Each structure stands twice: as structure tokens, then as C-alpha cells.
Amino acid sequence: MSLAKARILIALLVVGSSLQATTYFVDINGNNGNGLSWSNAKTSLASAISASSTGDEILVKYGSYPITNSMSIYTNRKITSDDGTASSFDTAQPDSSQCIMQGDYLSSRIFRVYSSNITNDCRIRGLKITGGNASYESYWAAAGGGLVVYDGASPIIEQCWITDNYGNTDNSPGSGSPGGAMFFDDVTDVVLRNCLVSNNVATTDEYYGGSGGGVYIDGSATLEGNIFRSNIAVRSAGSQYYSASGGAVLHRNGTLVFTGNLVEGNAAVSRSVSWDRAAWGISCSGGGVDLSSASVGIIRNNIFKNNVALLCPDYNQYTGQGSSGSAGALNANSVSSLIENNTFIGNNGRSIYAYSATSSSGALTFGTNDVVRNNIFVDNDDNSEYAIKSYPNGLGIAYNSFYDNSVNYEAGIISTNEILTSPEFVDAAGGNYALLETSPCIDAGDPTTDITDFPLDFGGGFRMRHGTIDIGAFE
């Protein structure tokens, strides 16, 4: 080898070495050393983030870490929990129940993730994110008590438990709350997967509505394999302008891919405390999920169970002038939506309130781009309201199964190839909504359904096993 070639090889080895990611270690009971080994671990995740550089990995040992100031991430990091034995992100053993980022419920959110430098190479994995409160934050105040992601950032948040966070607990004017647990703004490819999002609250003051109890999204995102449970978007004071929407999820603008999620026991609640305002068209919508503005929704292989959209004014006699609770499970408002192979069980409000209109805002023509097919609707009941309602009336639906609802759909909706007998779940009482072999929903879906991009059902099994897709979330 010539001397020149040897010098080039040495230079390349030096550059490669300098670009290799460094792994930092965090242990609440460590010695707060340089963080480059478990024996010299940092004692806080914030200090490890500060010491690390773009592309580095951070392993956090199980424990409870008090958070009093929001942790900022603006270039790619890989953060994961571990039992204190692994040496890399790929070999770590994440467990969100044992690695807790614990806020004090009063002073700060937990994470702030921002900048277009953040791509899917940024990972936050296996953390319990709890006790965050964004009421008095300087960046996006009252939005996203657990995490706020903005300015083009597109991280992957996975295997996390995001619970008991508050967008806002300040009731002063102008303190409305988008996103109880998470607020995603100006995002293009953020991913939330295999997370438990529970007991988070987006609330409101007299003038601003609460929206997205679990997560508020403005931009494009993928939410897959998550559990959204007992989140709430609440309008808690008398307002003539704003309402509550999206008990678990609110999405506006861009595309939402929402697949394989369990959406259970969430609520959008509007409570009026002023009789004169209760009659001014106040409403709430999307007890589970609300798709609004210029949103495009791909809603497939999900279970929506026991969600509620509820209007509860103090003065019932003033609620007849446009005030309403609608879409207990899913509100598809001014969007082009594909609502396919979902199972809707026991939702209160209307299971779907689909609205699409031609306008300059980019909404699509009703009936052309809104597709509702291969879904199961069972026991969706709201005082003789409908399981499905469309506005304008006349939405075409196909290959759906209806059983034991108050009214399956409003008059004028065109339903074809429907099934009106029991879908025959394996164990509905036990929460198993897979189909018995005798179910009429087997091989009864739309034969033109394309499963290329979504080859698995809710339980992870292969779709279309016998040539024709089944109806519902399970194959």
C-alpha cells in the first residue's frame, strides 16, 4: 500500500470513529459522573440530553425521576429505558411501568421536541410520562402537558405510558387547552405507536374549547397499535364560541393514519354554566376521535368502545337551539375519510358523524371520497339517535354489520350489502371481539378492499385469509 493510500485510510478511520454514536447512561442512584458507563451514570435524563450530541443514545435505568423543568430535544437522540445492564439502544429492555418521568402536576410539561432536524431517527421509548402540566409554559402554553412536538419535528414515540397529564389547569381567559397529554404542531411524519395514553385532560376556560384529550395533531402523523383510554376533552365553562372535541385524538390538516388502536372510555364533554350561552349552538363531537378542518383520515382496524360525546348544560330548557353532543366514537368533519374494518361497541352519541362538503377550503365532495365499509356497529345507543349520521344526508355505505343499535343510520343514507344479525363475537362480555367461525361477518366484506398497505388485522393476524376480507377489526 502506498503512503498516500495509507494516509487516506487513516483519515477515513478517524472520521468514522468521530461520527460513531456515543451511548450515555442515566441512573437516579448513580454518582452523576460523565455518563459514559453505568458506573459513572448521570442522575437525570436532562443532564444526559445536555451532554449528548446528535445521533447519540441514552439508556435510562428503571426508577422514578422528578421533573420540574421541561426537557428539550432539538436534534436526533435515541432514548430508552432499561434494567441497567444493556450497552446499547438495540439491546435495551424497555419497560414504561418501571421508568417514570414524574412531573409535579403543577409547574412544567415533561418534553419539548422541536426543529426540522428531528426525524424518525429520534426515538423516545419505554418511558412513563406523567404529571405534566403545560399551563404556565413559555412555549405553547396550555398545550401538551406530557409532550409538545413542533416546528417540523418528526420523532417516533413508542412503548410509552403517557398518563395523568394536563394541557391546562389555569382558568383565566385565553387559556384554552389543545392536547392534554401531547400537542403535535406543524408535523410531517410523527409516529406514535404501541403506547398507552390514559387519563389525560384537555380543558377550557370561558372562551376557548378543550380539544384532543390524549393528543392534538396539526399535520401528518401515524398512530398505530396504541391504547387510548379514559382521556377527556372538556369545555368546563359557559362559552358562546368554543366546544369540546376529540376526547382521545383531534386531528386537523394533513393525513392521519390511524390503525390497530383501541379507543376506549374517552369523552368529549361540553358543560355550560350559563343558560344564555347554552342555547347558542354549543356542541361537542368525537368522544373518541375528531377529524376536522382539512384533515384526511385513514381509519382502519381499530376498536372504538364505550366512548361518549356529551353535552350537559345546567339549564336543559335552553338546549334546543343547535346545542348537541354528536359522534360518540368518531367525528369525520370536513374531511376525506376512509373508515374501514373497525368495530364500534357501546358508544354514546353517534358512532360516526360524517360531514363532507364542496368548498374552497379543500374539503371533498360528499359521497365521493368518504368511504365507510367493512365495519361492525353493535349497541351504539344515544336516546334513539343513530349509529351513523351523515351531513349532508345521503352518505353511501357498504358491507357493514349492524346489531342492537337504537337506530342503525338516519333515513336517506344508502346502505348496501349490510348484515343485520349478530356478528357473533368470541367473547363480547370479556372484551374479545374476534369472530366465531359461524359469524356472518366472515368473508363478507367488500371484495375490492385493498390490503396492500395494511396487511394485518387488529390482533396482528393476516388479513383476507380466504380471498375475501372479513367485516370488523379482526380477520
PDB file of all heavy atoms in Angstrom, residues 345-370:
ATOM      1  N   ILE A 345     -68.392  -0.411  19.488  1.00  0.00           N
ATOM      2  CA  ILE A 345     -69.158  -1.101  20.520  1.00  0.00           C
ATOM      3  C   ILE A 345     -69.570  -0.113  21.614  1.00  0.00           C
ATOM      4  O   ILE A 345     -68.731   0.542  22.235  1.00  0.00           O
ATOM      5  CB  ILE A 345     -68.321  -2.220  21.179  1.00  0.00           C
ATOM      6  CG1 ILE A 345     -67.806  -3.208  20.140  1.00  0.00           C
ATOM      7  CG2 ILE A 345     -69.127  -2.928  22.254  1.00  0.00           C
ATOM      8  CD1 ILE A 345     -68.851  -4.102  19.559  1.00  0.00           C
ATOM      9  N   GLY A 346     -70.862   0.025  21.832  1.00  0.00           N
ATOM     10  CA  GLY A 346     -71.360   0.706  23.013  1.00  0.00           C
ATOM     11  C   GLY A 346     -71.006   2.168  23.145  1.00  0.00           C
ATOM     12  O   GLY A 346     -70.842   2.672  24.255  1.00  0.00           O
ATOM     13  N   ASN A 347     -70.889   2.878  22.035  1.00  0.00           N
ATOM     14  CA  ASN A 347     -70.567   4.304  22.096  1.00  0.00           C
ATOM     15  C   ASN A 347     -71.828   5.137  22.287  1.00  0.00           C
ATOM     16  O   ASN A 347     -72.903   4.786  21.803  1.00  0.00           O
ATOM     17  CB  ASN A 347     -69.830   4.713  20.825  1.00  0.00           C
ATOM     18  CG  ASN A 347     -68.538   3.944  20.661  1.00  0.00           C
ATOM     19  OD1 ASN A 347     -67.567   4.201  21.350  1.00  0.00           O
ATOM     20  ND2 ASN A 347     -68.534   2.968  19.752  1.00  0.00           N
ATOM     21  N   ASN A 348     -71.699   6.240  22.972  1.00  0.00           N
ATOM     22  CA  ASN A 348     -72.828   7.103  23.303  1.00  0.00           C
ATOM     23  C   ASN A 348     -72.663   8.432  22.584  1.00  0.00           C
ATOM     24  O   ASN A 348     -71.662   9.120  22.739  1.00  0.00           O
ATOM     25  CB  ASN A 348     -72.869   7.327  24.816  1.00  0.00           C
ATOM     26  CG  ASN A 348     -74.142   8.007  25.252  1.00  0.00           C
ATOM     27  OD1 ASN A 348     -74.924   8.471  24.429  1.00  0.00           O
ATOM     28  ND2 ASN A 348     -74.350   8.080  26.549  1.00  0.00           N
ATOM     29  N   GLY A 349     -73.652   8.809  21.845  1.00  0.00           N
ATOM     30  CA  GLY A 349     -73.531   9.856  20.852  1.00  0.00           C
ATOM     31  C   GLY A 349     -73.721   9.126  19.538  1.00  0.00           C
ATOM     32  O   GLY A 349     -74.226   8.010  19.505  1.00  0.00           O
ATOM     33  N   ARG A 350     -73.337   9.692  18.468  1.00  0.00           N
ATOM     34  CA  ARG A 350     -73.408   8.963  17.209  1.00  0.00           C
ATOM     35  C   ARG A 350     -72.058   8.330  16.950  1.00  0.00           C
ATOM     36  O   ARG A 350     -71.031   8.970  17.106  1.00  0.00           O
ATOM     37  CB  ARG A 350     -73.803   9.894  16.073  1.00  0.00           C
ATOM     38  CG  ARG A 350     -75.186  10.505  16.308  1.00  0.00           C
ATOM     39  CD  ARG A 350     -75.500  11.578  15.299  1.00  0.00           C
ATOM     40  NE  ARG A 350     -76.765  12.216  15.608  1.00  0.00           N
ATOM     41  CZ  ARG A 350     -76.889  13.270  16.394  1.00  0.00           C
ATOM     42  NH1 ARG A 350     -75.816  13.796  16.947  1.00  0.00           N
ATOM     43  NH2 ARG A 350     -78.064  13.797  16.643  1.00  0.00           N
ATOM     44  N   SER A 351     -72.043   7.077  16.574  1.00  0.00           N
ATOM     45  CA  SER A 351     -70.770   6.401  16.373  1.00  0.00           C
ATOM     46  C   SER A 351     -69.939   7.089  15.306  1.00  0.00           C
ATOM     47  O   SER A 351     -68.737   7.188  15.419  1.00  0.00           O
ATOM     48  CB  SER A 351     -71.008   4.942  15.967  1.00  0.00           C
ATOM     49  OG  SER A 351     -71.453   4.216  17.078  1.00  0.00           O
ATOM     50  N   ILE A 352     -70.577   7.535  14.247  1.00  0.00           N
ATOM     51  CA  ILE A 352     -69.874   8.319  13.236  1.00  0.00           C
ATOM     52  C   ILE A 352     -70.764   9.480  12.849  1.00  0.00           C
ATOM     53  O   ILE A 352     -71.944   9.311  12.591  1.00  0.00           O
ATOM     54  CB  ILE A 352     -69.565   7.506  11.959  1.00  0.00           C
ATOM     55  CG1 ILE A 352     -68.587   6.373  12.266  1.00  0.00           C
ATOM     56  CG2 ILE A 352     -68.984   8.400  10.888  1.00  0.00           C
ATOM     57  CD1 ILE A 352     -68.272   5.537  11.057  1.00  0.00           C
ATOM     58  N   TYR A 353     -70.178  10.657  12.794  1.00  0.00           N
ATOM     59  CA  TYR A 353     -70.884  11.808  12.245  1.00  0.00           C
ATOM     60  C   TYR A 353     -70.029  12.280  11.098  1.00  0.00           C
ATOM     61  O   TYR A 353     -68.991  12.908  11.292  1.00  0.00           O
ATOM     62  CB  TYR A 353     -71.024  12.905  13.294  1.00  0.00           C
ATOM     63  CG  TYR A 353     -71.900  14.059  12.871  1.00  0.00           C
ATOM     64  CD1 TYR A 353     -73.210  14.158  13.328  1.00  0.00           C
ATOM     65  CD2 TYR A 353     -71.421  15.048  12.020  1.00  0.00           C
ATOM     66  CE1 TYR A 353     -74.017  15.215  12.954  1.00  0.00           C
ATOM     67  CE2 TYR A 353     -72.222  16.106  11.640  1.00  0.00           C
ATOM     68  CZ  TYR A 353     -73.513  16.191  12.107  1.00  0.00           C
ATOM     69  OH  TYR A 353     -74.306  17.235  11.735  1.00  0.00           O
ATOM     70  N   ALA A 354     -70.379  11.915   9.880  1.00  0.00           N
ATOM     71  CA  ALA A 354     -69.529  12.195   8.729  1.00  0.00           C
ATOM     72  C   ALA A 354     -70.023  13.421   7.987  1.00  0.00           C
ATOM     73  O   ALA A 354     -71.197  13.522   7.669  1.00  0.00           O
ATOM     74  CB  ALA A 354     -69.517  10.996   7.788  1.00  0.00           C
ATOM     75  N   TYR A 355     -69.129  14.336   7.762  1.00  0.00           N
ATOM     76  CA  TYR A 355     -69.506  15.560   7.059  1.00  0.00           C
ATOM     77  C   TYR A 355     -68.481  15.855   5.980  1.00  0.00           C
ATOM     78  O   TYR A 355     -67.285  15.832   6.229  1.00  0.00           O
ATOM     79  CB  TYR A 355     -69.569  16.740   8.012  1.00  0.00           C
ATOM     80  CG  TYR A 355     -69.786  18.063   7.304  1.00  0.00           C
ATOM     81  CD1 TYR A 355     -71.010  18.342   6.718  1.00  0.00           C
ATOM     82  CD2 TYR A 355     -68.771  18.993   7.214  1.00  0.00           C
ATOM     83  CE1 TYR A 355     -71.218  19.531   6.066  1.00  0.00           C
ATOM     84  CE2 TYR A 355     -68.973  20.191   6.555  1.00  0.00           C
ATOM     85  CZ  TYR A 355     -70.188  20.466   5.981  1.00  0.00           C
ATOM     86  OH  TYR A 355     -70.391  21.635   5.321  1.00  0.00           O
ATOM     87  N   SER A 356     -68.934  16.114   4.780  1.00  0.00           N
ATOM     88  CA  SER A 356     -68.028  16.454   3.706  1.00  0.00           C
ATOM     89  C   SER A 356     -68.757  17.407   2.771  1.00  0.00           C
ATOM     90  O   SER A 356     -69.917  17.202   2.456  1.00  0.00           O
ATOM     91  CB  SER A 356     -67.614  15.187   2.949  1.00  0.00           C
ATOM     92  OG  SER A 356     -66.419  15.368   2.263  1.00  0.00           O
ATOM     93  N   ALA A 357     -68.110  18.448   2.360  1.00  0.00           N
ATOM     94  CA  ALA A 357     -68.794  19.450   1.553  1.00  0.00           C
ATOM     95  C   ALA A 357     -67.843  20.054   0.549  1.00  0.00           C
ATOM     96  O   ALA A 357     -66.647  20.156   0.784  1.00  0.00           O
ATOM     97  CB  ALA A 357     -69.366  20.546   2.446  1.00  0.00           C
ATOM     98  N   THR A 358     -68.361  20.448  -0.610  1.00  0.00           N
ATOM     99  CA  THR A 358     -67.548  21.137  -1.597  1.00  0.00           C
ATOM    100  C   THR A 358     -67.387  22.581  -1.178  1.00  0.00           C
ATOM    101  O   THR A 358     -68.359  23.276  -0.921  1.00  0.00           O
ATOM    102  CB  THR A 358     -68.211  21.080  -2.982  1.00  0.00           C
ATOM    103  OG1 THR A 358     -69.540  21.606  -2.872  1.00  0.00           O
ATOM    104  CG2 THR A 358     -68.278  19.650  -3.482  1.00  0.00           C
ATOM    105  N   SER A 359     -66.169  23.033  -1.080  1.00  0.00           N
ATOM    106  CA  SER A 359     -65.901  24.413  -0.698  1.00  0.00           C
ATOM    107  C   SER A 359     -64.474  24.746  -1.049  1.00  0.00           C
ATOM    108  O   SER A 359     -63.688  23.895  -1.437  1.00  0.00           O
ATOM    109  CB  SER A 359     -66.141  24.619   0.804  1.00  0.00           C
ATOM    110  OG  SER A 359     -65.124  23.977   1.530  1.00  0.00           O
ATOM    111  N   SER A 360     -64.132  26.003  -0.895  1.00  0.00           N
ATOM    112  CA  SER A 360     -62.783  26.448  -1.215  1.00  0.00           C
ATOM    113  C   SER A 360     -61.784  26.039  -0.158  1.00  0.00           C
ATOM    114  O   SER A 360     -60.596  26.280  -0.304  1.00  0.00           O
ATOM    115  CB  SER A 360     -62.777  27.975  -1.380  1.00  0.00           C
ATOM    116  OG  SER A 360     -63.208  28.583  -0.176  1.00  0.00           O
ATOM    117  N   SER A 361     -62.213  25.455   0.909  1.00  0.00           N
ATOM    118  CA  SER A 361     -61.317  25.083   1.995  1.00  0.00           C
ATOM    119  C   SER A 361     -60.556  23.811   1.717  1.00  0.00           C
ATOM    120  O   SER A 361     -59.680  23.430   2.474  1.00  0.00           O
ATOM    121  CB  SER A 361     -62.112  24.926   3.298  1.00  0.00           C
ATOM    122  OG  SER A 361     -62.966  23.796   3.216  1.00  0.00           O
ATOM    123  N   GLY A 362     -60.895  23.094   0.659  1.00  0.00           N
ATOM    124  CA  GLY A 362     -60.218  21.848   0.327  1.00  0.00           C
ATOM    125  C   GLY A 362     -60.984  20.614   0.742  1.00  0.00           C
ATOM    126  O   GLY A 362     -60.497  19.513   0.520  1.00  0.00           O
ATOM    127  N   ALA A 363     -62.144  20.773   1.370  1.00  0.00           N
ATOM    128  CA  ALA A 363     -62.971  19.606   1.670  1.00  0.00           C
ATOM    129  C   ALA A 363     -63.471  18.998   0.377  1.00  0.00           C
ATOM    130  O   ALA A 363     -63.574  19.665  -0.638  1.00  0.00           O
ATOM    131  CB  ALA A 363     -64.135  20.004   2.571  1.00  0.00           C
ATOM    132  N   LEU A 364     -63.790  17.696   0.457  1.00  0.00           N
ATOM    133  CA  LEU A 364     -64.109  16.960  -0.752  1.00  0.00           C
ATOM    134  C   LEU A 364     -65.616  16.749  -0.915  1.00  0.00           C
ATOM    135  O   LEU A 364     -66.376  16.876   0.041  1.00  0.00           O
ATOM    136  CB  LEU A 364     -63.391  15.613  -0.729  1.00  0.00           C
ATOM    137  CG  LEU A 364     -61.872  15.733  -0.655  1.00  0.00           C
ATOM    138  CD1 LEU A 364     -61.251  14.376  -0.420  1.00  0.00           C
ATOM    139  CD2 LEU A 364     -61.299  16.377  -1.907  1.00  0.00           C
ATOM    140  N   THR A 365     -66.031  16.422  -2.096  1.00  0.00           N
ATOM    141  CA  THR A 365     -67.443  16.218  -2.387  1.00  0.00           C
ATOM    142  C   THR A 365     -67.987  15.040  -1.595  1.00  0.00           C
ATOM    143  O   THR A 365     -67.374  13.975  -1.542  1.00  0.00           O
ATOM    144  CB  THR A 365     -67.652  15.966  -3.889  1.00  0.00           C
ATOM    145  OG1 THR A 365     -67.115  17.070  -4.607  1.00  0.00           O
ATOM    146  CG2 THR A 365     -69.119  15.786  -4.209  1.00  0.00           C
ATOM    147  N   PHE A 366     -69.121  15.259  -0.991  1.00  0.00           N
ATOM    148  CA  PHE A 366     -69.716  14.221  -0.147  1.00  0.00           C
ATOM    149  C   PHE A 366     -70.055  12.995  -0.967  1.00  0.00           C
ATOM    150  O   PHE A 366     -70.629  13.091  -2.049  1.00  0.00           O
ATOM    151  CB  PHE A 366     -70.986  14.763   0.507  1.00  0.00           C
ATOM    152  CG  PHE A 366     -71.580  13.810   1.499  1.00  0.00           C
ATOM    153  CD1 PHE A 366     -71.138  13.810   2.794  1.00  0.00           C
ATOM    154  CD2 PHE A 366     -72.571  12.926   1.122  1.00  0.00           C
ATOM    155  CE1 PHE A 366     -71.674  12.935   3.717  1.00  0.00           C
ATOM    156  CE2 PHE A 366     -73.109  12.039   2.034  1.00  0.00           C
ATOM    157  CZ  PHE A 366     -72.665  12.045   3.338  1.00  0.00           C
ATOM    158  N   GLY A 367     -69.689  11.847  -0.460  1.00  0.00           N
ATOM    159  CA  GLY A 367     -70.023  10.588  -1.103  1.00  0.00           C
ATOM    160  C   GLY A 367     -68.981  10.105  -2.082  1.00  0.00           C
ATOM    161  O   GLY A 367     -68.979   8.938  -2.434  1.00  0.00           O
ATOM    162  N   THR A 368     -68.086  10.980  -2.517  1.00  0.00           N
ATOM    163  CA  THR A 368     -67.079  10.577  -3.484  1.00  0.00           C
ATOM    164  C   THR A 368     -65.819  10.077  -2.797  1.00  0.00           C
ATOM    165  O   THR A 368     -65.251   9.064  -3.174  1.00  0.00           O
ATOM    166  CB  THR A 368     -66.735  11.751  -4.414  1.00  0.00           C
ATOM    167  OG1 THR A 368     -67.917  12.148  -5.110  1.00  0.00           O
ATOM    168  CG2 THR A 368     -65.666  11.357  -5.421  1.00  0.00           C
ATOM    169  N   ASN A 369     -65.378  10.770  -1.768  1.00  0.00           N
ATOM    170  CA  ASN A 369     -64.125  10.427  -1.118  1.00  0.00           C
ATOM    171  C   ASN A 369     -64.277   9.975   0.327  1.00  0.00           C
ATOM    172  O   ASN A 369     -63.290   9.692   0.994  1.00  0.00           O
ATOM    173  CB  ASN A 369     -63.167  11.623  -1.183  1.00  0.00           C
ATOM    174  CG  ASN A 369     -62.739  11.924  -2.600  1.00  0.00           C
ATOM    175  OD1 ASN A 369     -62.098  11.120  -3.250  1.00  0.00           O
ATOM    176  ND2 ASN A 369     -63.132  13.085  -3.103  1.00  0.00           N
ATOM    177  N   ASP A 370     -65.493   9.955   0.833  1.00  0.00           N
ATOM    178  CA  ASP A 370     -65.743   9.393   2.153  1.00  0.00           C
ATOM    179  C   ASP A 370     -66.213   7.951   1.970  1.00  0.00           C
ATOM    180  O   ASP A 370     -67.261   7.707   1.382  1.00  0.00           O
ATOM    181  CB  ASP A 370     -66.820  10.180   2.896  1.00  0.00           C
ATOM    182  CG  ASP A 370     -66.337  11.560   3.281  1.00  0.00           C
ATOM    183  OD1 ASP A 370     -65.156  11.695   3.634  1.00  0.00           O
ATOM    184  OD2 ASP A 370     -67.142  12.502   3.217  1.00  0.00           O
TER     185      ASP A 370
END
